[in-house]
Amino acid sequence: QVQLVESGGGLVQAGGSLRLSCAASGSILSIHVMGWYRQAPGKQRELVAEIISGGSTNYADSVKGRFTISRDNAKNTVYLQMNSLKPADTAVYYCKMKYTGWGGGPYVYWGQGTQVTVSS
């Protein structure tokens, strides 16, 4: 059994900041990728940022220079620091993890999502 617990979403004014956290726990042997996706109403889910096990990162063009993804390997936790938020960033943010468990893998697991709302 694996669990992803997300936190940090909320309501913020344009130009403000939020920090999302996603903590993984359970039968995890190794984590290959952790990342954040988002889905706005009426739109497809899209990649926001991801961090690979070796430390390399990928960002959507729309968030480059404003968002920073980081990871605490000891805590199996990934963070998304979001600065200079815009109303267009409003969405449900989902944590995604690709991992190998004690029972095999790799598997992909999603968190339950956390709402981020940016008011103009």
Side-chain angles (χ1 to χ4, degrees):
Q1 297 82 357
V2 171
Q3 189 175 20
L4 291 176
V5 178
E6 300 155 333
S7 61
L11 173 64
V12 65
Q13 287 188 331
S17 298
L18 284 174
R19 188 193 194 208
L20 304 183
S21 299
C22 173
S25 62
S27 301
I28 299 169
L29 180 60
S30 64
I31 297 174
H32 309 299
V33 184
M34 290 191 81
W36 290 95
Y37 286 69
R38 67 187 181 187
Q39 187 166 19
K43 294 187 177 181
Q44 290 189 329
R45 191 173 297 189
E46 63 177 3
L47 172 69
V48 177
E50 64 181 3
I51 184 164
I52 316 302
S53 58
S56 61
T57 57
N58 295 309
Y59 292 92
D61 288 343
S62 59
V63 306
K64 285 180 180 177
R66 300 188 298 123
F67 292 9
T68 302
I69 190 168
S70 61
R71 177 177 161 181
D72 185 333
N73 291 327
K75 297 181 178 179
N76 282 346
T77 299
V78 66
Y79 305 96
L80 185 68
Q81 178 66 43
M82 305 186 293
N83 298 328
S84 302
L85 282 161
K86 305 174 181 180
D89 295 316
T90 295
V92 177
Y93 284 68
Y94 296 91
C95 180
K96 177 185 174 182
M97 176 179 67
K98 183 178 181 181
Y99 73 101
T100 295
W102 293 101
Y107 303 109
V108 172
Y109 197 82
W110 291 88
Q112 79 283 359
T114 184
Q115 177 70 46
V116 171
T117 302
V118 185
S119 62
S120 57

